[in-house]
């Protein structure tokens, strides 16, 4: 049981390039989330999904797109990377249980946009 | 979600109890108190949560005041591996995200 995994661990992009971050979970969780964390700050929600085929915007969605084609995977895309998107990206998942919505986090992807 | 206030940093001697306070004076009746921690460069880790009763698990204890306006996370015997940023989060069950804030940086000193 690997929990939540993220690919890649680290990436350097040039301004304007595109990339996709992959999040995978093997806990059969319904909910999945993408957060970003800037230095010295807490996490901020980018997008989330409440089930396969569904996505919704979070607190800071601009410049990102997501897809949830399979229940176990949640992809975060940057179509045209900007230096302001330099950050650490964390994926998380949780069950649909209303009283125990503990979120389980992946190890993070460090992205540097030059 | 209700706003929380935590001290920026705290130190604790190894082997002693670490008591991390959190104020959430605007908490509503259906909002839970959650605690997560983030060890350097890792993803956040769930510790414990509660509504109004005190809670204990293998990692920590959570003490919530009777008026629910504040709480304390207790690590009974802090170790060096407990050095991390601890986040107190108040959320309504069913809310779609966790608002982490800046947390308390706990340093366990040998």
């Amino acid at each position: 049981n690997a929990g939540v995994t993220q690919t890649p661990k680290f990436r350097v992009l040039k301004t304007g390039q595109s990339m996709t971050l992959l999040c995978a979970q093997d806990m059969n969780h319904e909910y999945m989330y993408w957060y970003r964390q800037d230095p010295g700050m807490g996490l901020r929600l980018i997008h989330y999904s409440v089930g396969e085929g569904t996505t919704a915007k979070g607190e800071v969605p601009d410049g990102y797109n997501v897809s949830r084609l399979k229940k176990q995977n949640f992809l975060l895309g940057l179509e045209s990377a900007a230096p302001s998107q330099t950050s650490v990206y964390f994926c998380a998942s949780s069950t649909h249980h209303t009283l125990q919505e503990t979120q389980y986090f992946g190890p993070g992807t460090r992205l540097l946009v030059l | 979600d209700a706003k929380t206030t935590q001290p920026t940093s705290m130190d604790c001697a190894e082997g002693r109890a670490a008591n991390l306070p959190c104020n959430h004076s605007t908490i509503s009746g259906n909002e839970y108190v959650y605690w997560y921690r983030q060890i350097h460069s890792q993803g956040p880790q769930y510790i414990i949560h509660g509504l109004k009763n005190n809670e204990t698990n293998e990692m920590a204890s959570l003490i919530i005041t009777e008026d629910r306006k504040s709480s304390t996370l207790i690590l009974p015997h802090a170790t060096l591996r407990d050095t991390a940023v601890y986040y107190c989060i108040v959320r309504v069950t069913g809310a779609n995200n966790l608002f982490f804030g800046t947390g308390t940086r706990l340093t366990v000193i040998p």
Side-chain angles (χ1 to χ4, degrees), chain A residues 26-103:
Chain A
D26 61 1
M27 297 175 283
N28 201 35
H29 284 170
E30 290 291 337
Y31 287 25
M32 296 187 74
Y33 313 80
W34 274 108
Y35 292 87
R36 62 176 286 175
Q37 185 175 33
D38 299 323
M41 305 283 288
L43 281 71
R44 292 183 293 170
L45 184 69
I46 304 171
H47 286 279
Y48 65 96
S49 168
V50 300
E52 182 178 325
T54 71
T55 63
K57 294 180 179 179
E59 182 186 356
V60 289
D62 293 342
Y64 305 94
N65 56 76
V66 289
S67 63
R68 184 95 180 271
L69 299 179
K70 295 182 179 181
K71 185 178 183 179
Q72 64 268 32
N73 295 337
F74 195 28
L75 278 64
L76 177 71
L78 286 72
E79 292 185 347
S80 179
S84 61
Q85 294 178 304
T86 292
S87 190
V88 181
Y89 292 85
F90 289 101
C91 175
S93 69
S94 65
T95 66
H96 188 52
H97 195 300
T98 57
L99 293 179
Q100 301 287 342
E101 289 182 29
T102 301
Q103 292 190 14

Side-chain angles (χ1 to χ4, degrees), chain B residues 31-79:
Chain B
E31 290 184 318
Y32 283 73
V33 179
Y34 282 75
W35 284 84
Y36 281 74
R37 72 180 183 183
Q38 187 174 23
I39 296 170
H40 181 63
S41 299
Q42 298 182 20
Q45 176 190 24
Y46 166 81
I47 301 173
I48 198 167
H49 76 283
L51 182 62
K52 54 183 178 181
N53 297 320
N54 297 338
E55 302 287 345
T56 296
N57 63 20
E58 65 278 4
M59 290 183 67
S61 294
L62 174 59
I63 308 298
I64 302 174
T65 57
E66 191 169 346
D67 63 7
R68 302 207 329 117
K69 294 184 183 300
S70 66
S71 61
T72 301
L73 177 74
I74 301 172
L75 307 179
H77 305 286
T79 70

Side-chain angles (χ1 to χ4, degrees), chain B residues 88-104:
Chain B
C88 170
I89 300 161
V90 174
R91 66 179 295 209
V92 177
T93 296
N96 292 313
N97 66 294
L98 302 171
F99 179 73
F100 277 80
T102 54
T104 295

